[in-house]
Amino acid sequence: MEKDRLPKGQKWISKPVVYDIVKDIKDVDLSTYRLKFFGAVENPIEITYEQFVSMAKDRTVADFHCVTTWSVKDISWEGIKTKELLKMIKPKKEAKFVMAHCLEGYTTNFPIDYLYDEASMLAYKMNGEIIPKRHGFPIRLVIPSLYAWKSAKYLTALEFMTHDKKGFWELRGYHDVGDPWKEERFDED
Ligand SMILES: Nc1nc2c(c(=O)[nH]1)N[C@H]1C(S)=C(S)[C@@H](COP(=O)(O)O)O[C@H]1N2
Ligand SMILES: [Mo]
């Protein structure tokens, strides 16, 4: 039933609204861009955009829920499933949390389990096209099972942490996890 598809307190709109903590985003030089995986992992690596694209073969179609109450149906993302990348990076067993780091300084944290979700991806295409600049070019983290502020755009690194730390919005009162089905919008305390 269609109603069950929309988390409480949300309404459907047709296209995602661009939300950014800064007004301007620098152009990215793909020849120097690197995506890093570091922290509590067996195999810390850095990959180039070209390497990423050559490995990209996964696709997810998922609804996107923003904490400001809009939701968008069926956005398609192409790239690499995070659970596949983790096979290569091998997080240590004490890695419990992840911090996403972005080009303009944005950060967001979440429990590592969300990277094992079937739908979670690192994406370079959105709805069949290279991700538009303001939607996260060149690579974006997409975690459909959490509110959209966890889907970090302009991703530069995933940091694997043994202890939780708060990212940009989490420091400003937003929930550490942010599950739309539990309406985890803000931290209670
Ligand atoms: N790097 C970065 N990623 C970000 C943000 C940001 O400011 N910087 N905003 C977040 C928020 S609050 C939302 S709602 C979504 C919006 O995604 P969109 O701009 O593609 O619609 O991006 C998230 N990812
Ligand atoms: Mo947001």
Side-chain angles (χ1 to χ4, degrees), residues 6-13 15-19 63-72 75 140 143-144 146-151 169 174 178 180 183-185:
L6 188 65
K8 195 161 162 269
Q10 298 293 111
K11 55 187 179 301
W12 294 116
I13 64 168
K15 277 200 231 134
V17 180
V18 169
Y19 277 123
D63 299 343
F64 198 55
H65 307 293
C66 173
V67 72
T68 60
T69 76
W70 55 260
S71 292
V72 173
I75 302 185
R140 171 178 203 160
I143 304 181
L146 297 177
Y147 282 121
W149 89 82
K150 304 282 179 177
S151 288
W169 286 118
Y174 283 79
E183 272 209 282
E184 291 172 338
R185 297 174 192 272

Side-chain angles (χ1 to χ4, degrees), residues 32-90:
T32 55
Y33 172 82
R34 296 289 184 275
L35 183 56
K36 300 183 179 70
F37 300 85
F38 70 102
V41 297
E42 302 291 347
N43 187 26
I45 57 167
E46 279 190 25
I47 55 178
T48 65
Y49 183 74
E50 211 179 321
Q51 286 169 328
F52 182 91
V53 171
S54 72
M55 291 187 289
K57 55 175 176 43
D58 299 322
R59 182 165 174 262
T60 289
V61 176
D63 299 343
F64 198 55
H65 307 293
C66 173
V67 72
T68 60
T69 76
W70 55 260
S71 292
V72 173
K73 284 180 194 168
D74 289 334
I75 302 185
S76 136
W77 304 100
E78 286 165 67
I80 310 176
K81 286 189 180 188
T82 51
K83 68 165 201 184
E84 294 302 324
L85 267 169
L86 293 193
K87 288 183 189 163
M88 199 155 66
I89 290 140
K90 300 188 175 71

Side-chain angles (χ1 to χ4, degrees), residues 27 96 106 159:
D27 282 333
K96 302 282 188 235
Y106 182 77
E159 176 186 2

Side-chain angles (χ1 to χ4, degrees), residues 170-181:
E170 293 80 8
L171 282 168
R172 290 159 178 81
Y174 283 79
H175 202 277
D176 249 23
V177 180
D179 180 343
W181 298 99

